[in-house]
Amino acid sequence: MESAMTMAIMNKCKRTTARPHIVLGRGHVGGIWADMGQDHNQTLSYHEHMELSLYLFKDSSRNKDLERPLLSMVSAYYKTYIQQLRIQSNFSDNTTVT
């Protein structure tokens, strides 16, 4: 489902510029959006406002005509994002630092 533009950007991105990091969270990937996975209401924001770098929101969605995505689509986008960028190992769900 990836566009040629997204793939070109990902290929251009150099691994040497990446910084090692870990993302800790009390819940699952996507924060509060992960809890809204079954909600079929539209967001107030347009899909462009939900995008992260290197992977376009419209590349993850089946409904490309919907300007304001459903909450469930945003949840799915954030989960798919880490898979597309192959950074799952950087995320630790249900983790609290004390």
Side-chain angles (χ1 to χ4, degrees):
M1 270 214 232
E2 298 161 278
S3 71
M5 186 166 105
T6 301
M7 289 306 297
I9 292 170
M10 289 174 70
N11 290 335
K12 216 183 226 188
C13 183
K14 296 180 181 176
R15 288 281 181 191
T16 57
T17 60
R19 299 292 176 250
H21 66 281
I22 296 175
V23 180
L24 306 175
R26 290 184 181 167
H28 298 286
V29 170
I32 194 165
W33 295 103
D35 296 336
M36 298 180 194
Q38 300 303 314
D39 196 336
H40 297 293
N41 293 315
Q42 283 184 299
T43 64
L44 296 176
S45 300
Y46 294 102
H47 63 81
E48 296 94 359
H49 300 167
M50 307 295 202
E51 282 183 344
L52 300 172
S53 61
L54 303 176
Y55 185 62
L56 302 177
F57 192 95
K58 66 181 181 178
D59 289 342
S60 72
S61 175
R62 291 182 186 145
N63 189 346
K64 301 192 185 308
D65 297 329
L66 197 59
E67 287 184 348
R68 292 184 341 180
L70 303 174
L71 299 177
S72 57
M73 292 167 66
V74 176
S75 176
Y77 168 72
Y78 290 135
K79 291 174 188 171
T80 304
Y81 179 84
I82 67 164
Q83 294 168 349
Q84 290 295 319
L85 271 60
R86 296 177 181 93
I87 55 174
Q88 300 97 309
S89 63
N90 293 46
F91 287 78
S92 182
D93 294 348
N94 302 311
T95 303
T96 305
V97 177
T98 58

